[in-house]
Amino acid sequence: MRFQLRRFFLIGLLPMLCSCQSIFFGAMNAGRASTSAITRTYAPDRDLKLDIYRPASSSASTPVALFFYGGSWRYGSRSEYAFVGKALAATGILTMVVDYRTAPQPAFPGFEADAADAVRWARDHASEFGGDVQRLFLVGHSAGAHIVALLATDAHYLAADGLKPRDLAGVVGIAGPYDFLPLTDPKIIEVFGAESEWPVSQPVNFVDGDEPPFLLLHGQGDRIVWPRNSEALEKKLRAAGIAVNYLRYPSLGHFRILAGFRYPRLAPTLRDTAAFINSTPGVAASKSRQ
């Protein structure tokens, strides 16, 4: 009975995320056993940091996940997403929750450059915390899902850090916008600039067969980022011969799918994300099978 009351309470909070973020994230982060994050600076010139959540035990093949949060590319803080880091770490995944610069300073593509730098840092340092750099995954929700999808499809961002999309073991996109033109919201237009530049912001425009495996999760009740975004990216990836699994969650909305990391009975987000990461082979193993 107590769980049911909590469940209904949280569901009632979810639609108010944009206006009552402190309430939502307070609910998501409340009542968890204390798990200390290790904070590191990954881009000293921009004072950008990430928080590292270590699993209780690790091995030579412990996977690593970099999580990028949403917030319309304008809002968010890594501390708000401690519940994601703790949840993934509890499944045996070394997890890094990453801050990045938000618009309007800088606008697109500044946050993509930040994300690429975070990947470079993780490749260089994950082994110090017990992670296998050959099993490096990107995970993102909403705008964060856009960031990781574009990073894994438009190769020039990672190339600036001496990497390529196939250096990633996989990508998990949760309720992400991947094919969202034309832009109509003035605040989103401010993020992506002149209309002539909009096409280079769309992950679907860069799928060419050099991508890592993808897992796409989307609630069919999402009216903030429409499911057609995941449908379009799945179609492009499949046509290019890329391994992709698109899981449709009936009736789920944009924020309840995120809340599934904290309360698995609300959504299977944690289960499906962890299953994909823990079952996907590392980069070296994948190459040896080709």
Side-chain angles (χ1 to χ4, degrees):
M1 180 65 178
R2 186 170 66 178
F3 171 78
Q4 290 296 329
L5 290 174
R6 182 178 64 187
R7 179 176 183 270
F8 291 133
F9 175 69
L10 286 171
I11 291 171
L13 286 177
L14 298 182
M16 299 190 295
L17 177 59
C18 292
S19 60
C20 300
Q21 290 188 35
S22 61
I23 298 175
F24 176 85
F25 289 112
M28 292 299 100
N29 288 303
R32 289 297 297 266
S34 177
T35 301
S36 298
I38 303 168
T39 300
R40 291 290 183 271
T41 300
Y42 73 86
D45 59 321
R46 283 151 280 163
D47 194 31
L48 290 173
K49 296 178 172 62
L50 50 81
D51 286 344
I52 303 168
Y53 296 86
R54 302 178 73 168
S57 61
S58 61
S59 68
S61 60
T62 296
V64 182
L66 273 68
F67 178 80
F68 293 83
Y69 49 77
S72 301
W73 302 276
R74 301 175 65 90
Y75 314 105
S77 169
R78 68 185 190 280
S79 63
E80 297 172 331
Y81 294 84
F83 69 99
V84 176
K86 293 175 183 179
L88 288 172
T91 70
I93 300 165
L94 177 68
T95 306
M96 303 181 183
V97 180
V98 183
D99 268 341
Y100 54 90
R101 292 174 295 169
T102 52
Q105 297 296 329
F108 175 81
F111 42 77
E112 291 294 335
D114 296 343
D117 288 348
V119 173
R120 176 74 269 173
W121 190 94
R123 287 273 299 187
D124 291 343
H125 298 282
S127 61
E128 300 169 17
F129 303 94
D132 180 2
V133 297
Q134 300 302 319
R135 300 189 67 199
L136 180 61
F137 295 81
L138 304 185
V139 183
H141 170 254
S142 195
H146 165 267
I147 290 172
V148 301
L150 191 59
L151 207 64
T153 53
D154 185 349
H156 94 271
Y157 293 113
L158 287 174
D161 281 279
L163 299 168
K164 55 186 181 298
R166 285 288 178 92
D167 289 325
L168 303 169
V171 176
V172 182
I174 304 165
Y178 314 115
D179 183 17
F180 54 98
L181 297 183
L183 305 181
T184 57
D185 184 331
K187 290 188 176 181
I188 302 303
I189 291 173
E190 184 180 31
V191 173
F192 290 100
E195 184 173 355
S196 61
E197 299 300 315
W198 292 355
V200 299
S201 69
Q202 305 297 291
V204 293
N205 291 339
F206 293 95
V207 176
D208 59 7
D210 68 344
E211 291 77 20
F214 269 72
L215 172 66
L216 302 175
L217 309 177
H218 219 123
Q220 298 305 286
D222 195 331
R223 296 298 178 265
I224 293 178
V225 176
W226 292 86
R228 67 173 181 80
N229 282 271
S230 290
E231 294 163 7
L233 184 56
E234 179 203 25
K235 183 178 180 180
K236 285 293 186 79
L237 290 166
R238 202 171 296 282
I242 300 302
V244 55
N245 189 14
Y246 175 25
L247 299 182
R248 299 162 172 83
Y249 297 157
S251 303
L252 284 192
H254 193 67
F255 302 122
R256 185 171 170 179
I257 197 172
L258 175 64
F261 279 107
R262 178 63 178 89
Y263 297 105
R265 292 189 188 181
L266 291 178
T269 317
L270 175 61
R271 180 197 69 191
D272 293 336
T273 300
F276 172 75
I277 292 174
N278 283 314
S279 66
T280 300
V283 172
S286 299
K287 290 178 178 178
S288 68
R289 295 177 184 178
Q290 297 176 354

